Amino acid sequence: MNACAWLWTKRSPEELLEVCHAIDQALGRVRLIRNGPRTIDVDLLLWRDDEGSRSCVNGAILPHPRMHQRRFVLEPLAEIAPDWLHPPTGKTIAELLRQLT
């Protein structure tokens, strides 16, 4: 199951990423193999604040470097943010989804 959420927060992107990792850990995720199978994976895909989009948070690249190639990311994201511009490509989430084969 895949889902996306859009939220407003007073936390910094670094703090929010720490929260994501804490949720993973609380739900039993163990990070043994990079990009390997997992029971839970809470990711920070995009970030925008009053200063604009962020490109890096604690070593994590934003937007997620492969999100534009992954239907399981784009489908739920297009439901809540179809017009969000993907900074590296300049295309909307809906456009990226339509381009996938």
Side-chain angles (χ1 to χ4, degrees):
M1 179 172 74
N2 296 291
C4 288
W6 180 322
L7 57 107
W8 288 263
T9 181
K10 292 184 179 187
R11 294 179 185 266
S12 71
E14 291 81 8
E15 291 170 326
L16 187 57
L17 190 59
E18 287 179 20
V19 170
C20 292
H21 291 161
I23 292 168
D24 283 347
Q25 186 176 13
L27 293 174
R29 176 169 180 183
V30 179
R31 296 173 185 262
L32 296 175
I33 302 170
R34 182 179 170 96
N35 297 322
R38 47 208 169 281
T39 55
I40 185 75
D41 185 22
V42 179
D43 278 327
L44 182 55
L45 299 172
L46 297 160
W47 183 272
R48 184 172 59 207
D49 57 22
D50 293 340
E51 298 169 15
S53 297
R54 291 287 296 265
S55 60
C56 189
V57 175
N58 284 351
I61 299 169
L62 298 175
H64 189 283
R66 292 174 300 283
M67 68 175 276
H68 66 286
Q69 301 166 334
R70 295 178 167 171
R71 183 173 300 280
F72 68 88
V73 172
L74 294 177
E75 283 182 345
L77 186 55
E79 290 178 14
I80 62 170
D83 297 325
W84 185 295
L85 285 179
H86 182 255
T89 63
K91 297 179 180 177
T92 67
I93 299 303
E95 289 171 322
L96 292 172
L97 181 57
R98 282 192 299 270
Q99 290 178 348
L100 285 180
T101 56

